[in-house]
Amino acid sequence: MPDKTRLLVRADDAGSCWASNHGCLNACADGIARSVEVMMPCAWVTDAARLFADRPDIDIGIHLTLTSEWDAMKWRPLTHAPGLVDRSGCFLPLLQDRPNDDRPALSNRQWNIEEITAELRAQIKMGVALFPQASHVSCHMVRHLADFDPRLGDVVAGLCAEFGLVDDPFCHGLPRFSPYPAYPRDSSVRISSFVEALGGLAPGTHVFIDHPAVDCGELSALGHPGYEDVLADRVSCLEALTSPAVRREIDRLGIELISYRDL
């Protein structure tokens, strides 16, 4: 008998702003998401802890964060980490250089692994204290920190063992579900593309990652060069994840929705 088709839908960037907190919650409570990634250094993490305290059934991941990419909103390390920050004490926008992007990147700084280790430990320690249902870690703005420096793969693995968490299984062989040829901003296009792509899922476990948020003025202030339409992107993401048409197709195909905790 063939393996069952399972889909792990992950909602990223809770903690970053009010709109993301409520978008991630709604994506789970009213939609198909089952795991939420929370950014510990951000200003709205306490609000996220309050929201998800009432929903212990929702799986939480600690979203390890070493960058602060928005132009109008910044966050700082939890630890004293002068090698990881700009002149105002905030994380840099990028981990590594990108084509056609001249913003500062950590890869061009004299960072040291001891500072990163201390910062990641502080984020995880805060995460397990605020979110008792936390099951795993993931990485913000990079597939895995081992892709930035292989030594950091060992650091993350050691911290997961220390705190009883799982390192993101997505980075260890699970295929990524890609329902869009490019991320559309129109909800109807997003929903129809998602429904069509579900029919092509092979048996096995697949991961889909997106960034839902509710529609509010806060989102319209966020962005950076190359990503100025944050509100349209993240609101249409939430509308796709909570779409009755998407859920009906998942049910029709017998796809099982799971969280990291289920793994």
Side-chain angles (χ1 to χ4, degrees):
M1 186 175 185
D3 291 338
K4 190 173 182 65
T5 302
R6 306 198 301 173
L7 180 60
L8 193 166
V9 179
R10 184 179 113 185
D12 278 17
D13 291 3
S16 62
C17 60
W18 182 91
S20 290
N21 284 352
H22 287 268
C24 289
L25 177 62
N26 292 354
C28 292
D30 303 322
I32 63 171
R34 294 295 180 268
S35 291
V36 171
E37 312 306 299
V38 186
M39 301 169 66
M40 297 303 149
C42 298
W44 284 87
V45 68
T46 305
D47 178 67
R50 179 185 60 82
L51 288 177
F52 289 100
D54 295 331
R55 292 298 305 265
D57 57 307
I58 296 176
D59 180 40
I60 297 293
I62 298 166
H63 205 41
L64 301 175
T65 301
L66 296 176
T67 58
S68 179
E69 62 274 9
W70 304 126
D71 288 344
M73 179 175 68
K74 296 293 182 182
W75 43 84
R76 295 173 169 81
L78 301 180
T79 60
H80 178 65
L84 306 181
V85 299
D86 61 17
R87 285 182 290 182
S88 65
C90 299
F91 284 124
L92 300 171
L94 301 174
L95 279 175
Q96 296 170 303
D97 289 329
R98 289 180 176 179
N100 304 314
D101 192 334
D102 59 1
R103 293 178 297 159
L106 185 60
S107 58
N108 298 322
R109 298 296 181 93
Q110 295 298 313
W111 60 272
N112 68 72
I113 199 165
E114 290 79 14
E115 281 188 354
I116 290 183
T117 301
E119 175 60 24
L120 297 181
R121 176 177 282 109
Q123 291 184 22
I124 292 173
K125 185 176 181 180
M126 180 179 180
V128 296
L130 289 178
F131 300 90
Q133 72 267 49
S135 70
H136 64 282
V137 304
S138 59
C139 299
H140 181 61
M141 296 292 287
V142 65
R143 179 184 170 98
H144 196 280
L145 288 174
D147 297 336
F148 175 64
D149 188 295
R151 295 173 298 168
L152 295 178
D154 295 332
V155 169
V156 173
L159 290 170
C160 285
E162 179 181 341
F163 287 92
L165 301 171
V166 175
D167 198 357
D168 185 353
F170 163 60
C171 304
H172 298 283
L174 291 183
R176 186 163 181 171
F177 176 51
S178 300
Y180 314 124
Y183 284 101
R185 283 14 180 184
D186 180 86
S187 297
S188 61
V189 172
R190 206 162 188 147
I191 290 167
S192 62
S193 295
F194 203 112
V195 169
E196 181 179 359
L198 286 168
L201 273 180
T205 300
H206 307 262
V207 180
F208 176 63
I209 300 170
D210 214 338
H211 304 78
V214 298
D215 189 351
C216 74
E218 179 187 35
L219 280 184
S220 64
L222 301 185
H224 58 71
Y227 186 22
E228 290 85 3
D229 53 353
V230 176
L231 188 149
D233 177 36
R234 300 199 171 199
V235 170
S236 63
C237 163
L238 178 60
E239 291 175 344
L241 295 183
T242 56
S243 163
V246 169
R247 184 54 192 260
R248 282 195 301 270
E249 186 67 2
I250 286 172
D251 291 342
R252 187 186 73 82
L253 294 169
I255 296 170
E256 181 184 0
L257 294 171
I258 65 167
S259 68
Y260 282 108
R261 196 161 55 196
D262 296 323
L263 294 172

